[in-house]
């Protein structure tokens, strides 16, 4: 069988909790050779992990099909990074009251030669598991830095470009060197780059994460917490993180007009953020009424289809010129 152990960071006052994800392949139904049995048990283990971990799954033919697809995506992605098949799309972020463009989130896409344009959900999990997230994330960061400099040199007023930071990147010992190299090689103002980390990622190892983020801040890069409200962060720790923004998860924004609880949570996050001296961004804004409610609650910035979908750099420039012709100098 395949299995995975999880050992959370232990402090002297903690208990050690061990969980196990188990994949089971049965002889001879699932294979008569040891390598086939091990491969199928491994596929079952991945299914156990996808089911929330800490459980057991028996191998099925469907798992084999998915495992082969996963392997194909990994092989294609490895070559796709080298062949330049990745693309960066940009989604605008605007001031809640004036509608002025403040920044853009850089979102990676993959122009697959057979399957067309693929969104992150189709390949980022495989990139994380295979370790390809490191070269992929490095590429996205460099592309965002280059684009920020191009827009600055073209006469557009500076906007902050935010880049998502994955778990694999956060744990990469070369992360700081990668960030410094991107800033130096491309001549970008680090104040114009923002890194987004999920709430759950921050809480994996609080002490070492705080130290790392403080070092990143010293480079001049700003930090935001993405998908806030969906994780399990402790308020005792939250105020210690050197972050600049909270991004309210779009699930709360999407349902807040119909669900009083989601509205209450949204308002509470905005109040909490301001109490901690942070700017608050609402994601997934699609309706004018949502914008009005968020503005009345004191939200600072908005992002969503109401203002613009993720788009290639050229389309973003056209959107920007149409939205605010005075934003371009020259």
């Amino acid at each position: 069988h395949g299995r995975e152990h999880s050992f959370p960071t232990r402090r002297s006052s903690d208990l050690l909790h061990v969980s196990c994800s188990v994949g089971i392949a049965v002889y001879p139904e699932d294979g008569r050779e040891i390598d086939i049995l091990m491969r199928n048990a491994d596929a079952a283990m991945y299914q156990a992990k996808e089911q929330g971990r800490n459980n057991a799954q028996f191998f099925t033919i469907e798992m084999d099909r998915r495992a082969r697809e996963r392997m194909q995506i990994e092989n294609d992605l490895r070559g796709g990074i080298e062949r330049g098949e990745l693309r960066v799309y940009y989604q605008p972020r605007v001031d809640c009251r004036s509608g002025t463009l403040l920044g853009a989130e850089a979102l990676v896409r993959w122009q697959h030669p057979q399957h067309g344009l693929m969104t992150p959900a189709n390949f980022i999990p495989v990139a994380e598991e295979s370790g390809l997230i490191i070269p992929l994330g490095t590429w996205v960061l460099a592309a965002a830095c280059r684009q920020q400099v191009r827009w600055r040199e073209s006469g557009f007023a500076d906007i902050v470009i935010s880049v998502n930071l994955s778990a694999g990147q956060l744990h990469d010992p070369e992360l700081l060197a990668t960030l410094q190299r991107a800033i130096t090689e491309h001549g970008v103002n680090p104040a114009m780059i923002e890194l987004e980390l999920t709430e759950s990622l921050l809480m994996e190892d609080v002490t070492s994460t705080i130290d790392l983020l403080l070092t990143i801040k010293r480079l001049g890069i700003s930090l935001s917490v993405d998908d806030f409200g969906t994780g399990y962060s402790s308020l005792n720790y939250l105020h210690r993180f050197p972050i600049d923004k909270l991004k309210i998860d779009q699930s709360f924004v999407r349902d807040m007009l119909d669900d009083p609880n989601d509205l209450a949570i949204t308002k509470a996050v905005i109040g909490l953020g301001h109490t901690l001296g942070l700017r608050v961004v609402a994601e997934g804004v699609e309706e004018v009424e949502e914008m009005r409610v968020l503005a009345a609650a004191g939200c600072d910035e908005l992002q969503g289809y109401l203002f613009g979908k993720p788009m290639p750099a050229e389309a973003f420039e056209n959107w920007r010129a149409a939205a605010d012709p005075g934003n371009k100098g020259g």
Side-chain angles (χ1 to χ4, degrees):
H1 64 275
R3 62 178 181 269
E4 177 194 73
H5 297 293
S6 176
F7 296 95
T9 302
R10 184 181 185 184
R11 295 184 296 272
S12 59
S13 59
D14 289 341
L15 294 175
L16 180 64
H17 299 281
V18 180
S19 64
C20 188
S21 299
V22 181
I24 304 169
V26 180
Y27 174 90
E29 291 87 348
D30 300 330
R32 294 180 175 273
E33 304 294 334
I34 187 63
D35 59 333
I36 296 176
L37 279 170
M38 291 299 294
R39 184 190 68 199
N40 292 343
D42 196 48
M45 185 190 70
Y46 276 113
Q47 180 66 18
K49 290 165 64 178
E50 290 179 3
Q51 294 296 321
R53 302 178 184 270
N54 199 26
N55 71 95
Q57 295 288 325
F58 282 87
F59 171 78
T60 65
I61 296 299
E62 175 63 17
M63 290 180 191
D64 181 61
R65 183 189 67 79
R66 294 178 62 186
R68 291 176 184 274
E69 286 183 354
R70 186 191 305 271
M71 181 66 71
Q72 187 64 55
I73 290 175
E74 179 182 339
N75 292 336
D76 288 352
L77 181 58
R78 194 179 303 276
I81 296 173
E82 298 172 354
R83 291 189 297 268
E85 295 171 0
L86 298 180
R87 305 285 184 269
V88 176
Y89 278 39
Y90 298 90
Q91 185 172 32
R93 193 172 65 245
V94 304
D95 182 89
C96 190
R97 293 164 186 80
S98 67
T100 303
L101 178 67
L102 298 176
E105 181 176 358
L107 299 161
V108 66
R109 300 290 188 267
W110 178 14
Q111 189 65 52
H112 193 284
Q114 281 81 45
H115 304 302
L117 193 67
M118 297 176 66
T119 61
N122 299 119
F123 60 91
I124 289 297
V126 175
E128 284 276 14
E129 292 171 4
S130 64
L132 288 174
I133 195 66
I134 303 300
L136 187 154
T138 300
W139 183 89
V140 172
L141 175 65
C145 289
R146 287 194 300 270
Q147 189 60 62
Q148 208 288 328
V149 172
R150 286 196 195 103
W151 281 337
R152 183 188 69 204
E153 293 177 345
S154 70
F156 283 115
D158 265 357
I159 62 169
V160 175
I161 296 182
S162 58
V163 179
N164 291 284
L165 196 67
S166 70
Q169 291 172 279
L170 187 67
H171 300 144
D172 179 17
E174 298 298 317
L175 174 61
L176 292 175
T178 298
L179 293 172
Q180 185 62 70
R181 185 166 56 251
I183 293 170
T184 303
E185 288 184 359
H186 303 292
V188 68
N189 178 357
M192 293 294 104
I193 297 297
E194 178 180 282
L195 297 181
E196 295 190 10
L197 304 90
T198 62
E199 181 182 6
S200 56
L201 182 56
L202 284 178
M203 300 306 298
E204 286 186 2
D205 186 346
V206 172
T207 301
S208 62
T209 299
I210 289 174
D211 292 340
L212 176 59
L213 297 187
L214 285 170
T215 305
I216 292 175
K217 286 283 289 183
R218 285 193 284 269
L219 294 177
I221 296 172
S222 58
L223 300 166
S224 67
V225 180
D226 197 13
D227 301 336
F228 188 78
T230 61
Y232 303 95
S233 61
S234 164
L235 297 183
N236 181 48
Y237 288 125
L238 186 61
H239 79 279
R240 294 171 55 195
F241 288 113
I243 55 179
D244 304 283
K245 294 178 183 176
L246 294 181
K247 298 188 76 174
I248 305 172
D249 186 68
Q250 60 183 336
S251 62
F252 298 113
V253 175
R254 181 177 59 244
D255 297 330
M256 68 179 186
L257 297 182
D258 301 315
D259 189 333
N261 291 326
D262 282 342
L263 178 59
I265 291 172
T266 299
K267 290 181 176 180
V269 171
I270 293 172
L272 172 64
H274 290 165
T275 299
L276 295 175
L278 308 175
R279 291 181 65 81
V280 181
V281 184
E283 295 184 287
V285 181
E286 298 184 1
E287 301 179 21
V288 172
E289 185 59 28
E290 292 171 347
M291 178 181 67
R292 291 173 178 162
V293 170
L294 289 164
C299 192
D300 300 296
E301 302 178 23
L302 306 175
Q303 181 179 338
Y305 284 9
L306 180 62
F307 313 101
K309 296 181 179 181
M311 59 193 97
E314 183 177 354
F316 186 92
E317 293 164 11
N318 294 335
W319 173 90
R320 185 179 188 180
D324 187 1
N327 224 335
K328 181 173 182 177

